[in-house]
Amino acid sequence: MQLYDLELSGNCYKVRLFLSLIGQPYELIPVDFLGGAHKKPPLSDMNPFCEIPILTDGALTLRDSQAILIYLARQYGGEAWLPTEAASMAQVMEWVMMAENEIARGPNDARLHDKFGYELDHGLAVDKAKRVLSLLEAQLEGKEWLALDRPTIADIACFPYVALGHEGRIPVGDHPNVAAWINRIKSLPRFVTMPEL
Amino acid sequence: MQLYDLELSGNCYKVRLFLSLIGQPYELIPVDFLGGAHKKPPLSDMNPFCEIPILTDGALTLRDSQAILIYLARQYGGEAWLPTEAASMAQVMEWVMMAENEIARGPNDARLHDKFGYELDHGLAVDKAKRVLSLLEAQLEGKEWLALDRPTIADIACFPYVALGHEGRIPVGDHPNVAAWINRIKSLPRFVTMPEL
């Protein structure tokens, strides 16, 4: 198994984190992102979206960090991180979708602007990030984990860009349930960190 | 089973379409969207994101059209529309994620601007929509369906806002593989349509 990776990408980090949590060995292949390696062959053939992470496992090549988490959870995680029972699976997926949508356009975009100089509307990203924090804060009232009564890929998918919020001037600390949830994830056995987390 | 619905929403339509394709009976509950019913109790309690569709099935309440498709496919669709085998599931999910992310910010946003007067950057949405069309066109080269060798929820999730592209001035007709795929979906047994499709 090979992971095409960028250390500072939260989407790559969530795959590294999950691989560590489930104890799955893999080969890390750093991508020359500043040099645009993800936009040229062979990477652009492996992922025409020209993004990372990319995961290979035997003949299988996958893009999109959320789809990769789903694959790893089904293939190597048993029922723990993504159950196959319909209602439980869908409850996990509601929050995986938040990672793919609202969190990408909120705290992730705010960080892309501040940390990497992306030309996008930082004010709009901050507004969306604040909505994300409010929704997470409410969901975590009296609950330890986002979707089920145990950690799932919902938590792993949503965690990185929320926990990196300060890099985009997002006031995560004002939300005690979110802050406690971040610390809960950081306390999981085999947790690994990334820069600035 | 109850679906809280808006006829002109592509996200609601994809749930209605899938329920029809799998022959699942349900009660349709129209939501007074212009009156803001989705932002007030009881709907805002059922879905704090204040969006529709919302699906209830017994004690279960679900938000997010992609998560709802996943639930329905697992609960009522057998292995046909969303297989449980890890690699196949992940290949479906790659395109379900495109519906949640790139299609939402591309053709969906372009339509929201043109048809409903949403204040957003139409030029940016068109750029993202053109990228979506190019990626779909390439993926559908020599293939009938997006993810597997049969229709899956990947196709159903991506279909509505692509097929409604003309409502946001998106040049779908310039992409023959996409146009053929749209017609293929429209030819599925028990297909149902929506306005302007």
Side-chain angles (χ1 to χ4, degrees):
Chain A
M1 190 184 308
Q2 296 180 310
L3 176 65
Y4 292 80
D5 180 77
L6 175 68
E7 185 181 26
L8 296 182
S9 158
N11 283 324
C12 292
Y13 164 64
K14 70 177 71 167
V15 178
R16 298 197 304 273
L17 171 57
F18 189 60
L19 285 162
S20 178
L21 292 174
I22 63 174
Q24 185 64 32
Y26 66 102
E27 179 186 358
L28 191 77
I29 302 182
V31 171
D32 177 15
F33 194 81
L34 290 178
H38 55 301
K39 297 179 181 173
K40 303 171 203 161
L43 290 188
S44 63
D45 294 330
M46 297 170 70
N47 179 9
F49 286 55
C50 297
E51 295 168 342
I52 47 175
I54 301 170
L55 185 86
T56 67
D57 192 11
L60 181 69
T61 301
L62 289 174
R63 63 172 168 81
D64 186 277
S65 55
Q66 272 63 249
I68 291 171
L69 290 182
I70 290 167
Y71 170 72
L72 292 171
R74 289 295 314 126
Q75 184 74 2
Y76 300 107
E79 291 284 317
W81 295 90
L82 177 64
T84 47
E85 187 271 320
S88 302
M89 177 178 280
Q91 287 168 321
V92 171
M93 292 296 184
E94 287 183 327
W95 300 97
V96 171
M97 295 303 161
M98 193 204 212
E100 184 76 27
N101 187 340
E102 288 86 355
I103 290 176
R105 296 289 77 76
N108 188 354
D109 271 357
R111 177 174 179 263
L112 287 174
H113 176 277
D114 279 12
K115 188 176 175 81
F116 300 105
Y118 278 48
E119 286 186 26
L120 45 77
D121 186 338
H122 185 264
L124 181 64
V126 170
D127 288 345
K128 294 187 176 191
K130 288 180 176 173
R131 178 170 175 263
V132 163
L133 287 175
S134 295
L135 289 163
L136 292 176
E137 184 72 8
Q139 175 68 7
L140 291 165
E141 182 66 34
K143 279 174 60 77
E144 291 201 335
W145 308 102
L146 280 178
L148 303 179
D149 60 0
R150 62 181 189 270
T152 67
I153 59 167
D155 302 286
I156 307 308
C158 291
F159 168 71
Y161 289 109
V162 174
L164 291 167
H166 56 280
E167 291 199 292
R169 288 177 282 160
I170 306 303
V172 181
D174 299 348
H175 299 78
N177 294 340
V178 175
W181 168 75
I182 288 172
N183 286 330
R184 218 169 279 130
I185 293 174
K186 289 184 175 179
S187 301
L188 288 171
R190 293 189 289 229
F191 177 84
V192 291
T193 191
M194 69 170 280
E196 308 302 332
L197 200 65
Chain B
M1 190 183 307
Q2 297 180 310
L3 177 65
Y4 293 80
D5 179 77
L6 175 69
E7 186 181 27
L8 295 182
S9 158
N11 283 324
C12 293
Y13 164 64
K14 71 178 70 164
V15 178
R16 299 197 302 273
L17 170 57
F18 189 59
L19 285 162
S20 178
L21 293 174
I22 63 174
Q24 186 65 30
Y26 66 101
E27 180 187 357
L28 191 77
I29 301 181
V31 171
D32 178 14
F33 194 81
L34 289 178
H38 55 302
K39 297 179 182 174
K40 304 170 202 161
L43 290 188
S44 63
D45 294 330
M46 298 171 69
N47 180 9
F49 285 56
C50 297
E51 296 168 341
I52 48 175
I54 301 170
L55 184 86
T56 67
D57 192 10
L60 181 69
T61 300
L62 289 174
R63 63 172 168 80
D64 186 279
S65 55
Q66 272 64 249
I68 291 171
L69 291 182
I70 290 166
Y71 171 73
L72 292 171
R74 288 297 313 127
Q75 183 73 0
Y76 299 108
E79 291 284 317
W81 295 90
L82 177 63
T84 47
E85 187 272 318
S88 303
M89 177 179 279
Q91 285 168 323
V92 172
M93 291 297 183
E94 287 183 327
W95 301 95
V96 171
M97 295 304 161
M98 193 202 212
E100 184 76 28
N101 186 341
E102 288 86 355
I103 290 176
R105 296 290 75 78
N108 187 354
D109 272 356
R111 178 174 178 261
L112 287 174
H113 176 276
D114 279 12
K115 188 175 177 80
F116 300 105
Y118 278 47
E119 285 187 27
L120 45 78
D121 187 338
H122 185 263
L124 180 63
V126 170
D127 288 345
K128 293 186 175 191
K130 287 180 176 173
R131 177 169 175 263
V132 163
L133 287 174
S134 294
L135 289 163
L136 291 176
E137 184 73 9
Q139 176 68 8
L140 291 164
E141 182 67 34
K143 278 173 62 75
E144 292 202 335
W145 308 102
L146 280 178
L148 304 178
D149 60 359
R150 62 182 188 271
T152 66
I153 59 168
D155 302 285
I156 307 308
C158 291
F159 167 71
Y161 290 109
V162 174
L164 291 167
H166 56 280
E167 291 199 291
R169 287 177 282 160
I170 306 302
V172 181
D174 299 348
H175 299 78
N177 294 341
V178 175
W181 168 76
I182 288 172
N183 286 331
R184 217 169 280 130
I185 293 173
K186 287 183 175 179
S187 301
L188 288 171
R190 292 190 289 228
F191 176 84
V192 291
T193 191
M194 70 170 280
E196 307 302 332
L197 201 66

